[in-house]
Amino acid sequence: MTADASDSPADLDSLAREWRAALAAAGDEEAVEEWRRSVLGRSGALTGVLRGLSALPADQRRATGQAANALKRDLEADLEARQEELRAAALASQLAEGAVDVTLPGRRRRRGGLHPVTQTLQEILDAFTRMGFATVEGPEVELDDYNFTRLRIPEDHPARDMWDTFWLDEDVDGEQPLLLRTHTSPMQIRYLDAHEPPVRIAVPGRCYRYEATDATHEWMMTQVELLAVDEGVSLADLKGTLLEFARQLFGVERRVLLRHSYFPFVEPGVEVAVDCFACPGAETGCAVCRGSGWLEILGAGMVHPEVLAASGYDPGRYTGFAAGMGVERIAMLRHGIEDIRYFYSNDLRFLRQFQGV
Ligand code: YSA
């Protein structure tokens, strides 16, 4: 495609044929742009012809000039037409690609479902709502004070070992250590500090423990805290509430055990266990009950008078009960799931079994 001003109008005709063929062969936007640069661009072949006109003898200048200018106009029009052609072809192919074949069978959309732990949590909260407890939530990143100290577990107290803790590097005002709450009990303090009696709340939420996992222990789990404070609240109220809850969740047939336990923030302390579903009795090799025949689902007790007093309640006038239950354990018992680790291993074959339950 070389050309210069000494080309005669006849030479230009033959070059024009070459250029038009090249334009017609340019199959996409990029090739067309390349053609424009090489023919009509600042250093393009035809531009070179026009630039060199002044060097021609006067008798050739006029005819070559007219022919070259006319050719430039024509080629510009050809260029525009080719660009339009390519745009239309691209649009047509896009439309063809996106065309819907209405005769094809429809693709079934898979319905999602609530996670089994969420389903169980909702059932637990429904049961407590029916018994008059309001649902409130609290932070997962907690202060040492609320998670431990105000619950009568001071620094260096051996009871802290019951709750292996994820500590955070950040601190607040350079003083108070922050942690991932190990239980929902800190919400007892937050709520008591901010409210007057009577109190009747259920607090659902995630808790974290730095401990090895096994069939009944996860490093992240869900608890529901229960707190009732008023004049005249007794251990009988706690027992009645927990037994009613167990009846609603597990039915009247299921055996439920209430036994003594220890937590620094209650006096007395109890725990509740439900009979093992995974072995017929107390089988020594059972990973669910470890041969005890029972799976513990919650800790509870009468709120310690010192806990009440520290929040400004008169312990001579007010008493209360509290409980903290493991939602995953309750879901295991309800559905006969033998390993807690299934819940968060993201295996859809496991999770889909709970759709529509
Ligand atoms: C006790 C007295 C009260 O007045 C109020 C609450 C409590 C419970 C106390 N805050 C607590 O966390 N006790 S606990 O360590 O025994 O946990 C309570 C329940 O959470 C357990 O019974 C169990 O069901 C569940 N749980 C505990 N650690 C777990 C777990 N579930 C799964 N994985 C773990 N690692």
Side-chain angles (χ1 to χ4, degrees), residues 24 27 30 44-45 47 103 132 138 155-156 159 171 186 188 204 209 216 223 235 258 262 278 287 329 348:
E30 213 176 298
T47 315
T103 64
E155 216 174 318
D156 302 326
D171 54 15
Q188 290 188 30
R209 293 193 188 180
T216 56
Q223 285 193 346
L235 187 65
L258 183 81
Y262 168 72
R329 298 254 182 106
L348 285 177

Side-chain angles (χ1 to χ4, degrees), residues 37-87:
R37 250 185 269 123
S38 67
V39 178
L40 300 172
R42 239 190 307 156
S43 329
L46 185 55
T47 315
V49 172
L50 290 164
R51 276 217 193 98
L53 284 173
S54 56
L56 287 181
D59 58 330
Q60 286 175 29
R61 199 181 304 148
R62 190 179 157 81
T64 307
Q66 275 177 350
N69 274 312
L71 179 58
K72 185 175 181 222
R73 278 193 301 278
D74 289 353
L75 288 178
E76 279 168 351
D78 289 351
L79 171 66
E80 223 171 274
R82 181 72 187 133
Q83 283 168 332
E84 186 48 44
E85 221 171 78
L86 286 175
R87 269 195 292 271

Side-chain angles (χ1 to χ4, degrees), residues 117 213-218 277-278 287-288 295 328-329 331-333 335-345 350 354:
V117 171
T213 65
D214 61 23
T216 56
H217 293 82
E218 259 292 7
F277 59 86
V288 174
L295 180 59
E328 286 79 5
R329 298 254 182 106
M332 287 173 75
L333 285 160
H335 299 294
I337 296 161
E338 296 194 6
D339 197 315
I340 197 171
R341 289 166 291 196
Y342 283 127
F343 287 123
Y344 302 118
S345 57
F350 170 76
F354 301 93

